[in-house]
Amino acid sequence: MADSGVKSEDVLGQKWDRCLTDTGLKFVTGASIGLVFTLLFFKKRPWPVTLGGGIGLGMGYANCQHDFQTPYILHGTLKKEGTDETKGS
């Protein structure tokens, strides 16, 4: 990471941004699925929404924990074969 000129706090900031976005998306999706189920099947009881939101939060937390514990995973970046700096001219 030091060779590419990227600061460690920038990498940490990217991880936090990705973590919060992922957790928020999973929470909203889980709560939405719970809302659909409560409107269709459970006579407007609140527990399916709570359960769906909780499952979404748990999945987001697990993904964040994995992201912070494995520091050398490249997220969404592809490296082309001809761009290696060690090959020289």
Side-chain angles (χ1 to χ4, degrees):
M1 288 305 240
D3 296 338
S4 64
V6 178
K7 295 181 181 178
S8 63
E9 54 267 8
D10 292 339
V11 174
L12 186 63
Q14 289 174 352
K15 284 184 180 184
W16 272 108
D17 289 344
R18 189 170 43 246
C19 179
L20 293 175
T21 303
D22 183 49
T23 302
L25 183 66
K26 287 187 185 335
F27 172 75
V28 169
T29 303
S32 299
I33 291 171
L35 183 66
V36 168
F37 272 87
T38 195
L39 291 176
L40 294 178
F41 301 117
F42 295 110
K43 298 180 183 176
K44 298 181 182 173
R45 294 186 180 166
W47 68 266
V49 178
T50 306
L51 180 68
I55 289 172
L57 278 176
M59 289 174 62
Y61 178 77
N63 287 345
C64 290
Q65 197 172 25
H66 183 264
D67 195 20
F68 281 112
Q69 290 178 354
T70 53
Y72 299 112
I73 293 179
L74 299 175
H75 292 280
T77 57
L78 296 175
K79 185 175 179 182
K80 295 183 181 178
E81 285 188 32
T83 60
D84 192 15
E85 295 176 4
T86 60
K87 289 185 179 178
S89 28

